[in-house]
Each structure stands twice: as C-alpha cells, then as structure tokens.
Amino acid sequence: MPWLPRAALLWDLVLGFLGTAAFLVDLGADLWAAVQYVLSGRGRYLWAALVLALLGLASVALQLFSWVWLRADPVGLHASQPPGRCLALLHLLQLGYLYRCVQGLQQGLLVWQQEAPSDFDLAYADFLTLDISMLRLFETFLETTPQLTLVLAIVLQSGRAESYQWVGICTSFVGISWALLDYHRALRTCLPSKPPLGPGSSVVYFLWNLLLLWPRVFVVALFSALFPHYVALHFLGLWLVLLFWVWLQGTDFMPDSCSEWLYRATVATILYFSWFNVAEGRTRGRAAIHLVFLLSDSVLMAVTWLTHIAWLPSGIPLQTLLPVGGVCVLLGLALRLVYYRWLHPSCRWEPDRVDGTRGLGSLEWRRLPQNRRMAQLAQNFFPRVRDEAALPQKGEVNGVL
C-alpha cells in the first residue's frame, strides 16, 4: 500500500482510539463525581442520583440504537461478530457501544496491517466507523452535555468547584466538541469528491461549535442553579416543541416507526443545545429559525438571572461571565460564517471517484457495504449533492444490494 493512504488509515485508527479513550475517561469522571457526592453527604445524595440517572438513561438509549441497527443490517454483513444471544447480552449489560468501538478498532488495525486490503475490508471499516460516530454524537448530547450542565449548576449553587468537578467540566467540553468534529468528518466520507477536513477548516469548525455551545450550556446551568425545581419543566416544554418540529420534517432514519420516535426524541434533545439537520433541502432557513429560537430562550434565562442576582453565592463573577458568553456567541457566529463562506469545500461531482479511491458506476462497488443511515444524513447535511448514484438506492438494504 502506498505511504499516503497507509498514513491516512493510521490517522483514522489513532482518532478511533482517542475517541474510545475519551468516552472511558468521561465515564470515569462522572462515576468519580457520583461517588464523591455520596461520600460527602450533606444532602448531596440527590446530585449523585441525578448523575447516575443521566448515565443510565443515555446508556439505555445508546444500546437501543446499536441493537436496532445491528438487527437492520444485512444478514452476513457482520460475519466476525458473536452469536445473536451474546450480542443481546452485551447490549443488556450496557456494553454494546463499547463493543462497537473495540470492533471498529480491530477492523481498522486489520486493514492497516494488510499490504493490499480489499475493497470490502476498507468499506466495512468505514461502515463501522460511521455507526460509531453517530452513536458518539448521541451519547454526547444525551449524557455528556446534560452532565456538564448539571455540574455547572452545582458549582454555581455551591459557590466553589472541587477537583473532580473541574475534571468533569474539562473532559465534557473537549468530548462534546470532538464528537461534533468527528461526526462532520464522518459525514464527508459518505459524499463524492469530499476531501477530509484540513487543519485550518478543522480548527475553525471546532472553535465555532465550542463558542456557540458553551454559552448555551452555561445559561441553562445558571437557570438550573436559580430554579432547580423548574428547569425540568423548561426542558420538557422546549423539548416537546422541538419534537413536534422534528416530526413535521418527516424524518425516516430508523428501520421502523417505533424506533423512529426514539430517533426523533434524541434529535429534539440535541436541538435543545445545538443545531442538527434532519431533513433534505436548503437548511439556511431552518438553521436561522432554530438559532433565533435558542438565542431568545437563552436571553430570557439570562434576564431571569438579572432579576434574581442575590440568590447565588457572591463569590462567582457572573457579571463577567455573562458578557463573555455574549462575546463568544458573536465570535462563534462569525467563525461559522467564515467556515461556510471560505473553508467549506465545494461539492463537485466526480463520476469515477468516491473519497478519491472507488468508482461509483460499477456493480462491484455497489455490492460493498455502505452505511445508508449516514449517507442519508450526509445528503441532508450537504444539499448541493444531488446525484442518485452517490447514495444507496431504495432497492438496497442499508446500502447493500
């Protein structure tokens, strides 16, 4: 194998290992915080219960997604997997996502070690990586982001931060931005003539996501610290509105109607914190509506804090943090415009290449594993690509004829 493709495979393998390590570190930080809350006593048992409840709910949702996708995949695609009962037991023990990460690393290592890996091995490695990226994104917004909001609310309410809380805050921020960047990289592998993110565009994409996300998380945490009994009603009210909006867009991501509602509920949770496109077509209008909606809600919560400023410990410089949050929003919007104006590569169609390696027109290519789930989201995310040969056809089962 030439040096350049081999280096790219090694880079993907390193990123996969780092993503798995980040998941385990974040999980360890959350468990560490829950244990510390229990040991410290002083009425912190509720905090420990909330940490464990968020962990449990997100884990169950993640295992359901993983299991439904495995059942929907073509028979014989995952020949190296254990029997169905063993897989079911792994998911029942909440180890399905971790198993997928290990499987993806094994397949990536297998491909990297081969002198001339087959097209099937390369396509299968991509297939596994795309599913892992999607599950990582779900885990980020179902568990990591709510956990970050919770720990910030606890710090704001108590007036100080312990060492384990600082660890949780740092790992959560990095993990969230990493998941967004990894998801974007995964989407681009599904499209023709879509080169990988370069260093410059990667940095800008990472920064504008971080700059837009953390003020939203902070203002929700501030509202939670002020009104811990009402934040659940606030989340539920907005979540129902966002769920209705997702339903109106007619999503068709999961293999059946029941699991589709699980997907819609998850997307509504993501939209509570950040933008996520689920429908085909021009997204500028929908993204603008969502941005105005979230900014209006965040401003209302900030105004609520101004009317109840004496309710929180005076040692926290909130008068400084809120203006800094506003500046971060403006910088994030500016970097987002810069990225899509100058750093977002064009979607030119090259009929003889996909990701620079595989021909599209041949029957042999169409028999390779292709992740229909992520290909559909890629078409929604990059609406300018409109060639039916680029994506799996309706007669295919998850991209396999």
Side-chain angles (χ1 to χ4, degrees):
M1 182 188 297
W3 178 84
L4 192 58
R6 194 176 186 84
L9 290 174
L10 179 60
W11 177 242
D12 289 340
L13 189 62
V14 171
L15 290 180
F17 175 79
L18 291 177
T20 304
F23 166 75
L24 294 175
V25 170
D26 184 62
L27 177 61
D30 292 336
L31 293 176
W32 183 21
V35 170
Q36 292 298 319
Y37 293 148
V38 172
L39 294 178
S40 62
R42 295 176 298 177
R44 294 188 173 186
Y45 297 112
L46 179 60
W47 294 351
L50 288 174
V51 171
L52 295 177
L54 289 174
L55 276 174
L57 290 174
S59 180
V60 169
L62 215 61
Q63 309 309 315
L64 287 175
F65 276 115
S66 177
W67 178 250
V68 170
W69 292 351
L70 284 174
R71 300 289 291 179
D73 288 341
V75 178
L77 176 62
H78 308 288
S80 59
Q81 284 185 346
R85 291 185 178 180
C86 293
L87 282 177
L89 180 61
L90 283 173
H91 286 78
L92 188 62
L93 295 175
Q94 307 303 300
L95 297 174
Y97 171 69
L98 192 58
Y99 166 76
R100 278 180 171 269
C101 292
V102 173
Q103 184 190 24
L105 290 175
Q106 288 178 338
Q107 182 66 22
L109 184 61
L110 174 66
V111 171
W112 180 74
Q113 289 177 336
Q114 295 177 1
E115 288 297 329
S118 65
D119 288 341
F120 183 89
D121 286 339
L122 289 169
Y124 186 57
D126 288 342
F127 187 99
L128 296 176
T129 301
L130 293 174
D131 272 353
I132 293 170
S133 297
M134 194 68 189
L135 290 172
R136 181 178 293 129
L137 184 77
F138 288 166
E139 188 272 338
T140 296
F141 284 97
L142 291 176
E143 191 271 326
T144 306
T145 308
Q147 292 282 12
L148 175 61
T149 307
L150 175 62
V151 69
L152 287 176
I154 292 173
V155 170
L156 291 170
Q157 207 172 52
S158 61
R160 60 193 181 93
E162 306 290 347
S163 57
Y164 58 86
Q165 291 173 327
W166 280 116
V167 171
I169 291 171
C170 294
T171 57
S172 295
F173 267 125
V174 174
I176 290 168
S177 300
W178 183 294
L180 290 170
L181 182 59
D182 180 67
Y183 171 72
H184 188 254
R185 288 179 65 255
L187 286 181
R188 294 162 66 90
T189 65
C190 299
L191 294 182
S193 63
K194 203 68 175 173
L197 280 171
S201 57
S202 297
V203 171
V204 174
Y205 187 86
F206 180 89
L207 286 177
W208 76 252
N209 275 289
L210 189 65
L211 290 172
L212 288 181
L213 183 61
W214 94 256
R216 172 64 180 175
V217 171
F218 177 75
V219 76
V220 173
L222 186 61
F223 185 81
S224 304
L226 285 171
F227 305 104
H229 302 293
Y230 296 104
V231 66
L233 294 177
H234 173 268
F235 170 77
L236 183 62
L238 264 66
W239 181 81
L240 289 174
V241 172
L242 294 169
L243 180 64
F244 179 70
W245 192 41
V246 174
W247 173 74
L248 286 179
Q249 296 182 60
T251 62
D252 185 22
F253 181 75
M254 301 295 283
D256 57 79
S257 58
C258 293
S259 58
E260 187 67 30
W261 279 105
L262 174 64
Y263 170 72
R264 291 168 181 167
T266 302
V267 171
T269 305
I270 297 175
L271 290 173
Y272 182 82
F273 294 101
S274 181
W275 166 246
F276 186 79
N277 188 36
V278 296
E280 189 176 355
R282 297 185 64 85
T283 61
R284 186 179 302 173
R286 292 194 297 269
I289 292 173
H290 177 263
L291 179 63
V292 171
F293 182 77
L294 278 197
L295 285 179
S296 301
D297 180 66
S298 299
V299 168
L300 287 176
M301 286 191 285
V303 171
T304 303
W305 167 76
L306 292 174
T307 60
H308 299 81
I309 188 172
W311 287 26
L312 292 176
S314 57
I316 300 176
L318 295 178
Q319 293 87 346
T320 302
L321 290 176
L322 282 179
V324 169
V327 173
C328 286
V329 170
L330 295 178
L331 286 176
L333 291 175
L335 288 176
R336 187 175 181 176
L337 291 175
V338 167
Y339 172 79
Y340 282 107
R341 178 64 180 86
W342 289 289
L343 299 177
H344 189 61
S346 60
C347 298
R348 296 189 184 91
W349 173 250
E350 298 179 15
D352 59 337
R353 304 180 73 183
V354 172
D355 295 332
T357 56
R358 295 185 291 273
L360 284 175
S362 66
L363 180 62
E364 181 182 359
W365 179 85
R366 291 191 173 277
R367 292 188 183 278
L368 296 176
Q370 299 174 56
N371 199 307
R372 176 183 173 273
R373 294 178 287 267
M374 290 295 287
Q376 179 183 348
L377 289 177
Q379 189 179 29
N380 297 338
F381 192 83
F382 302 103
R384 285 180 292 172
V385 175
R386 285 292 181 273
D387 194 304
E388 294 298 326
L391 297 170
Q393 305 298 315
K394 292 185 177 181
E396 304 173 15
V397 181
N398 196 27
V400 179
L401 285 173

